Amino acid sequence: MSDYSHYLHTALTCAHQAGLLIKEQHAKAKKFDTKSNNSDCVTETDKASEELILSMIKSTYPTHSIISEESHCTDGKYDVTDNVTWLIDPIDGTNNFVHSLYHVCVSIAVMVNKEVVVGVVHSPILQETFHAVKGQGAYCNNQRIHVSNQKDLAKALVCTEFGYDRTDEGIELMLGKLRNLLKNKIQSIRMFGSCALTMCAVAMGRVDAYYEGKDEFQGPKPWDVTAGSLIVKEAGGVVYDTTGDKFSYWNGRVFVACTDELTHNVLSCINKSKL
Ligand code: IPD
Ligand code: CA
């Protein structure tokens, strides 16, 4: 088995250092700029967190590639190679951060040959650090974690996100999926405002499934989903495209769940809704 412990150590150090910056600013009033639309925000702390993480990674691994949210262009294309590649979200849950809400984290993943081998998600407010190394299980604050065993929609808590899609078509699609889940008597639906932390909640067994996204422009980005996808898999969960096809980090659609049975039950609801 390959030894990725050095990458894990660097990712954890970066996440904890950036977490200190985030925690210090969390309760304060923030100024923010907007990106793709008025929901998609960036603050000085997103940029400061990214700068800190990038400088640590570049000085430790000068030849590695980096795909990071605030310095990536917004064309929906990712120039990923077989080189070791770091995927970084310096703050996942920026809207929550702007409003001083709890679900805010740093998400860092390492890919080798286009496969995720290390994932770290650190929540400085909730004081939970999730990590996984390929083939070695998933952990929260160094305690092994597992997904739930839920199969039944009527007993399931499922999360989704509205993301930043404010088009008429996007809104109808998202509401249609919610309507079908509710009509099929789902127990609970929640939105936490952080893709990475929601995936970790599935890995912990707190949430039974999570779905989000339409395409590479309207949906979670690779830096939102890469660390979380490994953490869910290593916790015994499953990761798919929202269509039920094989998951891709790059196309803006993610579905994670605890069991294949619940996957079937949720996907058959959300894919019925082509309003
Ligand atoms: C976003 C959050 C949000 C999700 C979006 C993500 P950001 O990340 O995870 O919950 O709905 O798809 O892009 O902008 O806070 O880093
Ligand atoms: Ca972000």
Side-chain angles (χ1 to χ4, degrees):
M1 191 184 290
S2 307
D3 181 12
Y4 298 119
S5 56
H6 199 247
Y7 298 165
L8 175 66
H9 174 75
T10 306
L12 285 169
T13 308
C14 288
H16 281 117
Q17 295 285 325
L20 293 176
L21 285 183
I22 295 167
K23 197 169 180 192
E24 195 191 312
Q25 297 301 319
H26 187 253
K28 299 182 186 166
K30 289 107 185 160
K31 289 198 184 114
F32 59 89
D33 291 325
T34 55
K35 300 191 283 184
S36 58
N37 67 16
N38 68 304
S39 314
D40 188 2
C41 302
V42 58
T43 67
E44 283 308 316
T45 311
D46 292 74
K47 292 178 192 164
S49 169
E50 181 166 286
E51 239 176 79
L52 184 150
I53 297 168
L54 294 198
S55 81
M56 283 178 82
I57 293 170
K58 282 178 184 168
S59 62
T60 317
Y61 306 107
T63 61
H64 289 186
S65 306
I66 297 177
I67 299 176
S68 187
E69 177 168 15
E70 307 309 339
S71 38
H72 193 273
C73 55
T74 52
D75 61 1
K77 295 194 178 71
Y78 305 95
D79 189 17
V80 67
T81 65
D82 285 347
N83 195 22
V84 180
T85 302
W86 292 72
L87 291 108
I88 296 150
D89 192 340
I91 299 185
D92 182 51
T94 298
N95 258 286
N96 285 344
F97 179 67
V98 166
H99 292 273
S100 306
L101 276 169
Y102 317 103
H103 288 89
V104 168
C105 65
V106 179
S107 174
I108 301 179
V110 184
M111 274 187 164
V112 176
N113 295 324
K114 302 191 186 77
E115 189 184 25
V116 187
V117 296
V118 168
V120 167
V121 173
H122 171 57
S123 164
I125 313 305
L126 303 171
Q127 298 196 358
E128 288 186 327
T129 307
F130 298 87
H131 81 262
V133 175
K134 189 173 178 287
Q136 295 179 27
Y139 296 81
C140 174
N141 294 347
N142 295 318
Q143 302 292 313
R144 191 79 186 252
I145 55 172
H146 297 279
V147 295
S148 75
N149 192 31
Q150 195 51 257
K151 302 176 174 73
D152 186 354
L153 200 64
K155 293 181 184 157
L157 190 154
V158 174
C159 283
T160 185
E161 292 289 330
F162 286 142
Y164 304 135
D165 191 349
R166 299 294 181 268
T167 61
D168 286 349
E169 186 217 351
I171 292 167
E172 291 312 312
L173 207 61
M174 291 186 285
L175 294 179
K177 291 179 197 301
L178 290 174
R179 188 176 300 120
N180 280 344
L181 287 168
L182 293 167
K183 282 187 172 177
N184 281 280
K185 311 279 186 252
I186 188 168
Q187 187 180 60
S188 316
I189 298 177
R190 297 285 183 273
M191 286 186 205
F192 295 155
S194 161
C195 174
L197 280 178
T198 307
M199 292 171 89
C200 291
V202 173
M204 274 295 262
R206 293 168 172 163
V207 167
D208 301 305
Y210 158 63
Y211 70 89
E212 184 183 348
K214 190 172 74 179
D215 56 33
E216 61 268 49
F217 301 106
Q218 303 291 358
K221 304 290 188 283
W223 44 79
D224 297 315
V225 295
T226 33
S229 66
L230 181 66
I231 293 168
V232 168
K233 279 189 210 159
E234 290 294 329
V238 292
V239 184
Y240 292 103
D241 191 300
T242 54
T243 57
D245 292 339
K246 191 171 178 284
F247 173 64
S248 155
Y249 304 103
W250 320 106
N251 69 10
R253 291 190 297 274
V254 65
F255 177 90
V256 297
C258 51
T259 60
D260 273 325
E261 292 88 342
L262 188 68
T263 298
H264 171 80
N265 292 335
V266 176
L267 287 183
S268 57
C269 284
I270 67 175
N271 289 323
K272 241 189 289 175
S273 56
K274 299 255 186 316
L275 293 180

